[in-house]
Amino acid sequence: MKVEILGSGGAITIPRPLCNCNVCNEARIKGTPYSRMGPSVFIHDISLLIDTPEDIVHQLNRSNITKVKYCAYSHWHPDHTMGRRVFEMNYDWRNFPPNNMHTQLLIPEGVKPGFEEQLGTMKHFDYFEYLGIINRTILKDDSKFEIDNFIIQAIRLKEDYVYGYIVSNLTTRILIIMDELVGWKVPESLGKLDLAIIPAGVFVNHPITGQQNISENHPTLKSECTFRETIDIVGNINAEKIVLSHIEEPDRLSYDDLLMVEKIYKKKGINLEFAYDKMILEV
Ligand SMILES: [Zn+2]
Ligand SMILES: [Zn+2]
């Protein structure tokens, strides 16, 4: 299976507009792997995109992707959906009747209400369906959606408007969770995985210097999983390889800092890697 992290950033990408911090300035000069666009993953074997952040247009342009046959969504939050106008890439703007390309959207049943209530998402998709560039499939909980010899399973997280995905074929099984791990316990049924991609969480303390990074009473800490909590989850996932993504600018960690954090945890016997934009994972 060939999995590409198209964007390894979170809601606040790196560089962040207007920001003059060291992490953003370095990213402006060096580009990838120091810069990070919004959260998105692509599985090349089945042409499956997961989520459409604002900069998905640029992410697709810089990759070798020539078709997006499927797009699965994790939840309605803007950093995961607001690039959805990208599907207009499918429209034939010159021939009539148009000879469009087409993307099948996979929307878990618990994501659908958020799409109907927030940001005009479902209305926007009504328009795309009218243009003939997408159609929508609602994934029922515990159902299996098949693409060729691959099976896609949407799994509802503790925050029940958010889903992760298990993608498997005869030889390989991977887990992709884009965001919102808070309160999630690894279910026993998850079993053995070849790869798990999960969000890194909020770094309450700088993982190298220990410096406090966020006010202790900040409401974010009630709604978001912390990096420390993520490490507990990492300990409970049985995976050959674990990759942490959704890395937020306000945590002020550079690509080099995160390489150092990987080494610190390796010494403790915890194998994890941090994602970067355009990271290819062959499993
Ligand atoms: Zn997010
Ligand atoms: Zn910055």
Side-chain angles (χ1 to χ4, degrees):
M1 220 181 281
K2 182 180 173 189
V3 183
E4 183 170 355
I5 308 280
L6 299 181
S8 61
I12 309 295
T13 55
I14 301 173
R16 170 184 184 153
L18 315 181
C19 184
N20 260 317
C21 78
N22 292 340
V23 171
C24 289
N25 282 336
E26 183 181 38
R28 274 186 203 104
I29 294 163
K30 297 181 180 172
T32 56
Y34 293 84
S35 61
R36 297 179 188 278
M37 291 190 189
S40 180
V41 172
F42 192 78
I43 300 177
H44 284 266
D45 313 64
I46 46 175
S47 188
L48 170 70
L49 176 67
I50 304 181
D51 288 350
T52 55
E54 287 93 330
D55 36 25
I56 187 66
V57 166
H58 308 294
Q59 296 178 22
L60 290 171
N61 274 330
R62 71 184 179 181
S63 73
N64 291 320
I65 295 164
T66 54
K67 189 160 189 173
V68 178
K69 286 191 195 164
Y70 301 92
C71 176
Y73 276 101
S74 63
H75 65 311
W76 67 266
H77 282 176
D79 55 320
H80 297 258
T81 57
M82 289 301 278
R84 61 192 181 233
R85 202 167 73 84
V86 72
F87 295 117
E88 288 182 32
M89 70 190 167
N90 286 341
Y91 192 69
D92 177 356
W93 295 91
R94 285 297 173 264
N95 293 301
F96 198 84
N99 184 23
N100 296 331
M101 290 195 289
H102 190 264
T103 303
Q104 184 167 358
L105 307 189
L106 308 179
I107 302 170
E109 62 176 317
V111 171
K112 185 170 170 256
F115 276 19
E116 285 163 345
E117 289 155 20
Q118 306 285 347
L119 308 174
T121 308
M122 216 46 137
K123 282 245 168 0
H124 203 168
F125 289 146
D126 288 344
Y127 171 62
F128 291 159
E129 209 158 284
Y130 157 77
L131 288 179
I133 55 178
I134 63 144
N135 70 335
R136 284 164 285 192
T137 298
I138 304 301
L139 302 180
K140 292 268 179 217
D141 286 8
D142 304 319
S143 67
K144 292 180 176 172
F145 184 83
E146 289 183 34
I147 304 173
D148 304 329
N149 57 346
F150 284 65
I151 293 170
I152 319 295
Q153 269 175 284
I155 54 165
R156 208 186 266 253
L157 302 184
K158 180 74 168 69
E159 293 280 357
D160 68 356
Y161 63 98
V162 189
Y163 283 65
Y165 287 94
I166 295 171
V167 180
S168 56
N169 61 17
L170 285 175
T171 57
T172 310
R173 197 155 175 275
I174 69 170
L175 170 73
I176 301 173
I177 296 180
M178 300 301 287
D179 202 0
E180 314 298 341
L181 269 189
V182 69
W184 186 64
K185 300 263 181 295
V186 178
E188 265 180 42
S189 58
L190 191 62
K192 193 168 165 8
L193 300 161
D194 296 284
L195 169 68
I197 299 169
I198 62 173
V202 178
F203 289 82
V204 177
N205 298 92
H206 192 289
I208 300 164
T209 66
Q211 197 182 338
Q212 182 91 17
N213 208 15
I214 182 168
S215 307
E216 264 168 39
N217 57 354
H218 200 290
T220 290
L221 295 178
K222 292 204 174 72
S223 60
E224 298 285 337
C225 193
T226 65
F227 176 64
R228 203 159 282 168
E229 288 163 345
T230 304
I231 291 296
D232 290 341
I233 290 171
V234 165
N236 290 324
I237 293 180
N238 181 6
E240 286 290 316
K241 194 184 195 55
I242 297 185
V243 174
L244 305 185
S245 196
H246 203 282
I247 295 155
E248 295 279 10
E249 187 276 341
D251 288 324
R252 296 276 158 88
L253 294 166
S254 73
Y255 172 71
D256 294 329
D257 291 335
L258 292 171
L259 287 181
M260 207 179 288
V261 177
E262 284 177 11
K263 281 191 190 137
I264 291 169
Y265 279 90
K266 196 165 192 177
K267 272 192 191 149
K268 294 180 185 176
I270 299 170
N271 281 317
L272 53 86
E273 285 177 47
F274 289 95
Y276 52 86
D277 285 25
K278 301 192 283 182
M279 182 186 212
I280 304 260
L281 297 151
E282 304 249 20
V283 287

